Amino acid sequence: MRTEWVDRAVHPALRRFVATAVGYRQEGLAPGLHRGLPSPFLTFVVTLDEPLVLLAHPDPGQAPGRYDGLVGGLHTRPALIEHPGRQAGLQLSLTPAGARALLGVPAGALASLDAPVDDVLGAPGRELVDRVRSAPDWPGRFAAVEQVLLRSARHDSGPAPEVAEAWRLTTAAGGRLRVAEVAARVGWSDRHLEKRFRAETGLSPKEAARVVRFDRARRLLAARAGRDGARDLAGLAADLGFADQAHLTREWRALAGLPPTGWLAAEFGFVQDSTPGRGQAAAHDHT
């Protein structure tokens, strides 16, 4: 099996909007399915060879599709991605602020949806996909993405300061803050925060906290299992603010469609990465 991962330092002007940028190429895998899991980042993927094939989206009403370039919004259900035993592409993990600045829409407009890059960005999106796919190497591919996004970026576009602060508080606390506390800190009522937060991100404040906590649990479990095979779910639950192991397992089933041990059995050693996207590079870490 051939595996190649390339991490790219994000351009300084894009760091508020792009959490990570990674290139990937894998060959010789067993064909199968991957689950693109919820995370606190929107997914932006451009494939290099074959399209990304989604058999099921987080929104069950969206039809299956094939994508040379894909933008995926925040979500609370897994996506199902088919792969033929190989995959190659470039993935960016976008912050909700990056949705407005780089895509021209609030993240809420893409909630639970997957869209072709050119449907979202128009002509610049078509240019971006074509340039990435025709570039001869990783530096050229990353440069193509940066040039198009820097040219299109709207640096004065952003959510209301209160929503931005609510998102920062939720992520910084690992999803442990209660909604009432977040609302009090930004000076809004619970109801007003719910309305404005959902319109901007596509998630309620409570859903965002669940996704943040789950994402941390997923990454920590994968790291521990990869390092020494440890699967101390009770300890993981305690470390990350779940009520107990049963609570962790219920949340995992709800957000991933599998219990933690089932997810490890299906995914570990397949296409794991260390980036904060929807699960990993080609996997649309809803990547």
Side-chain angles (χ1 to χ4, degrees):
M1 184 178 74
R2 176 189 175 191
T3 299
E4 180 182 11
W5 299 104
V6 179
D7 291 308
R8 167 82 167 197
V10 177
H11 189 285
L14 296 175
R15 286 176 187 163
R16 285 182 52 223
F17 312 130
V18 180
T20 61
V22 62
Y24 58 91
R25 184 180 293 278
Q26 290 192 303
E27 299 173 352
L29 304 170
L33 291 177
H34 166 74
R35 289 173 181 268
L37 301 183
S39 88
F41 300 94
L42 290 85
T43 298
F44 189 109
V45 174
V46 179
T47 64
L48 301 185
D49 301 315
E50 298 170 344
L52 195 64
V53 179
L54 269 77
L55 300 182
H57 302 268
D59 179 352
Q62 186 175 1
R66 300 166 65 89
Y67 303 85
D68 292 333
L70 174 144
V71 176
L74 301 179
H75 56 106
T76 59
R77 297 183 181 183
L80 293 182
I81 301 144
E82 181 181 58
H83 74 92
R86 57 192 177 276
Q87 57 178 0
L90 184 152
Q91 176 172 313
L92 307 181
S93 299
L94 305 185
T95 66
R100 275 191 182 273
L102 303 180
L103 306 179
V105 295
L110 295 167
S112 295
L113 297 177
D114 298 301
V117 168
D118 55 349
D119 278 7
V120 179
L121 287 176
R126 290 189 291 276
E127 175 193 350
L128 186 153
V129 172
D130 289 344
R131 289 180 59 183
V132 168
R133 301 192 101 196
S134 62
D137 53 26
W138 290 116
R141 293 165 191 144
F142 285 116
V145 171
E146 288 182 351
Q147 289 165 12
V148 174
L149 293 183
L150 285 169
R151 193 176 68 223
S152 304
R154 304 166 178 83
H155 292 279
D156 59 348
S157 177
E162 292 86 353
V163 174
E165 177 63 5
W167 182 265
R168 188 195 69 79
L169 290 168
T170 299
T171 55
R176 293 187 179 209
L177 287 180
R178 300 177 68 86
V179 174
E181 183 173 355
V182 174
R185 290 196 187 186
V186 303
W188 280 353
S189 68
D190 293 9
R191 171 180 271 185
H192 190 61
L193 175 63
E194 160 86 24
K195 179 180 178 181
R196 295 290 298 275
F197 193 96
R198 185 183 291 278
E200 184 64 37
T201 69
L203 302 178
S204 71
K206 184 175 181 179
E207 287 171 335
R210 292 177 63 205
V211 166
V212 167
R213 186 169 52 193
F214 166 77
D215 185 66
R216 289 195 175 189
R218 178 184 67 79
R219 295 181 186 283
L220 186 54
L221 180 61
R224 289 178 178 178
R227 183 175 61 248
D228 55 18
R231 299 185 182 184
D232 178 11
L233 297 182
L236 184 70
D239 291 344
L240 296 179
F242 294 90
D244 51 28
Q245 182 177 336
H247 180 208
L248 170 69
T249 299
R250 287 195 304 273
E251 286 290 272
W252 213 288
R253 285 186 180 276
L255 295 169
L258 291 171
T261 53
W263 173 76
L264 280 174
E267 296 281 350
F268 196 75
F270 164 38
V271 279
Q272 288 311 311
D273 77 278
S274 59
T275 68
R278 293 189 168 182
Q280 75 273 329
H284 178 261
D285 207 24
H286 280 51
T287 170

